[in-house]
């Protein structure tokens, strides 16, 4: 584990922002150049569209974290013998563990499992989406919600005044259970909650019927990541997600760093030196923090923090109890620097940015993406798409804030305009883009997304 001092020196969110901009603005990197560019005219037009929507609706319209009922909220968790404070902390612990579990395995749903690929003789695809995994894990998490006689750890007080709770072993997503999980057990937990396979008849396509499976691919690797999550919490954070979160002192940037230091599977970066010397061993994590050749992306680590904030911090504690509202333990997820977190460079956000012509691909890359040809993991094309996405969203945020502040409508007070501008960040714009992309995708109005077999997104 890195020291607290080294975490202060290394800001993971700044590293993402700065390295991605460096990649996009440097003409050549060891003879290689980006294959993605940002269309400034389209970006300004799109920013104006978003601004007008915000001013018209008096907010950036994004769906709340659990508006669709996909996620576990602990609403039905039974209090048992816990105090009001203890109950709320335990509910938060269970939700935080659910989020960390979800984001540890939130990547690359589109491939079929190797078993299905070998056995399926018909046209087939994997229909699994993020919401299917979120709902399945929610149902797993709810498994012991209504047990009255929990044996949850009621809390241990530390010298800094923080009270730490630990989930009972009856909770399927407790660190102890995650640490000992097997691929077979993980499959048996989740598969019953996925939709059954179905047959799609496309009358006008001239092709055979399409079999749609719903399955979690690469389950062995996902299980290893959950083992790592459980063991990391047990060995470094007293078996408690809230204990880990409390160490960040309400800093989202610090919490990203803690997650990266604890869990190797969240370390999403590319060392471009490996393009020059592909046979050399990959750089170690501590070295990677200071190498100018590294492009940092940290998608899953940052989205975990955003999910924790959305679920447990953004709107503060919803309890009417003044004791809970002022309790420092309850407020640990109310991060004070969420504006430092960048967008989460995955498949959907660059897909929608390309759709509105903000991101433009070189012909060679465009042909690969449109032909649904897999890109090289960690290669120039993948880095270009993801780095371009980070930089484009940063520029959209800046333009939208400027346009809101410059609004000359006399009916809006300066404080109202400031409130609207303050709500615009890379995180909220990411949510807006992702949700807009999801709607367009369901209407089959989006072109293909880039494809990479990766554990990072």
């Amino acid at each position: 584990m890195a020291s607290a001092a080294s975490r202060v020196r290394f800001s993971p969110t700044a590293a993402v922002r700065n390295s991605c901009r460096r990649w996009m603005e440097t003409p050549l990197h060891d003879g290689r150049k980006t294959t993605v560019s940002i269309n400034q005219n389209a970006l300004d037009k799109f920013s104006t569209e978003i601004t007008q929507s915000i001013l018209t609706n008096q907010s950036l319209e994004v769906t709340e974290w659990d508006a669709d009922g996909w996620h576990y909220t602990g609403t039905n968790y039974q209090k048992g013998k816990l105090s009001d404070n203890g109950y709320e902390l335990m509910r938060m612990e269970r939700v935080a563990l659910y989020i960390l579990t979800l984001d540890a395995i939130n990547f690359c749903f589109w491939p079929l499992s190797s078993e299905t690929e070998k056995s399926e003789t018909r046209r087939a695809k994997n229909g699994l989406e993020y919401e299917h995994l979120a709902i399945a894990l929610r149902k797993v998490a709810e498994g012991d919600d209504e047990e009255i006689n929990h044996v949850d750890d009621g809390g241990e007080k530390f010298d800094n005044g923080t009270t730490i709770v630990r989930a009972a072993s009856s909770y399927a997503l407790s660190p102890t259970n995650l640490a000992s999980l097997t691929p077979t057990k993980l499959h048996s937990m989740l598969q019953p909650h996925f939709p059954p396979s179905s047959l799609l008849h496309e009358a006008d396509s001239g092709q055979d019927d399409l079999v749609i499976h719903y399955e979690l691919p690469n389950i062995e690797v996902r299980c290893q990541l959950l083992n790592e999550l459980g063991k990391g919490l047990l060995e470094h954070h007293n078996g408690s997600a809230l204990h880990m979160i409390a160490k960040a002192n309400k800093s989202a940037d610090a919490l990203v760093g803690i997650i990266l230091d604890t869990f190797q599977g969240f370390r999403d970066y590319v060392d471009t030196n490996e393009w020059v010397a592909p046979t050399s061993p990959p750089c170690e994590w501590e070295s990677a923090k200071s190498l100018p050749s590294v492009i940092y992306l940290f998608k899953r680590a940052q989205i975990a923090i955003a999910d924790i904030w959305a679920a447990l911090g953004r709107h503060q504690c919803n309890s009417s109890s003044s004791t809970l509202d002022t309790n420092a333990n309850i407020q640990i997820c109310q991060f004070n620097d969420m504006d430092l977190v960048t967008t989460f460079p995955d498949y959907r956000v660059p897909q929608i940015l390309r759709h509105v012509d903000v991101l433009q691909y070189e012909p060679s890359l465009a042909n690969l993406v449109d032909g649904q040809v897999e890109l090289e993991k960690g290669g120039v094309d993948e880095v270009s798409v993801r780095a371009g996405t980070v930089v484009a969203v940063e520029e959209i945020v800046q333009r939208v804030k400027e346009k809101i502040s410059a609004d000359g409508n006399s009916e809006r007070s300066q404080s109202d305009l400031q409130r609207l501008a303050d709500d615009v960040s890379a995180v909220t714009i990411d949510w807006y883009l992702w949700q807009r992309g999801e709607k367009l995708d369901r209407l089959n109005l989006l072109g293909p997304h880039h494809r990479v077999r990766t554990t990072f997104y």
Side-chain angles (χ1 to χ4, degrees), residues 60 62 302 305-307 309-310 338-344 393-394 397 423-433:
L60 178 63
V62 293
Q302 292 195 92
I305 275 66
D307 285 345
W309 176 65
M338 282 300 298
D339 59 316
L340 297 181
V341 177
T342 75
T343 194
F344 320 124
V393 171
E394 290 294 312
V397 169
D423 194 41
V424 176
S425 68
V427 171
T428 56
I429 291 293
D430 182 283
W431 291 344
Y432 172 84
L433 295 173

Side-chain angles (χ1 to χ4, degrees), residues 184-225:
T184 301
K185 175 66 174 176
L186 179 60
H187 180 270
S188 66
M189 284 168 51
L190 297 177
Q191 193 62 45
H193 302 302
F194 293 154
S197 297
S198 59
L199 193 65
L200 178 64
H201 179 64
E202 301 171 305
D204 299 327
S205 70
Q207 293 182 301
D208 295 335
D209 292 343
L210 178 68
V211 183
I212 303 176
H213 296 281
Y214 296 88
E215 55 187 17
L216 194 61
N218 215 351
I219 201 159
E220 293 81 7
V221 172
R222 294 178 203 266
C223 186
Q224 290 171 7
L225 292 170

Side-chain angles (χ1 to χ4, degrees), residues 114-189:
S114 56
E115 293 78 9
T116 301
E117 283 186 330
K118 291 175 184 176
S119 62
E120 184 61 75
T121 57
R122 300 163 293 181
R123 281 204 313 140
K125 77 168 193 174
N126 194 348
L128 196 74
E129 298 281 359
Y130 168 82
E131 62 262 34
H132 299 126
L133 179 61
I135 291 168
L137 280 173
R138 185 205 78 208
K139 292 178 178 178
V140 169
E142 290 171 343
D144 71 333
D145 263 359
E146 297 183 4
E147 290 187 18
I148 300 298
N149 298 315
H150 290 285
V151 289
D152 294 302
D153 186 328
E156 177 183 349
K157 223 167 209 354
F158 287 78
D159 291 340
N160 63 0
T162 304
T163 300
I164 301 304
V165 295
R166 300 179 186 86
S169 59
S170 61
Y171 186 50
L173 307 182
S174 71
T176 301
N177 287 331
L178 294 176
S180 60
L181 194 63
T182 65
T184 301
K185 175 66 174 176
L186 179 60
H187 180 270
S188 66
M189 284 168 51

Side-chain angles (χ1 to χ4, degrees), residues 35-36 364-365 368 375-376 379-386:
T35 52
V36 173
S364 59
L365 172 59
L368 293 173
L375 306 184
E376 177 190 0
V380 171
D381 286 334
E382 186 198 13
V383 167
S384 297
V385 170
R386 300 185 73 197

Side-chain angles (χ1 to χ4, degrees), residues 14-31:
V16 173
R17 189 172 287 106
N18 295 337
S19 66
C20 288
R21 184 165 292 281
R22 185 175 68 246
W23 170 259
M24 293 299 292
E25 293 180 352
T26 303
L28 287 176
H29 304 263
D30 294 316

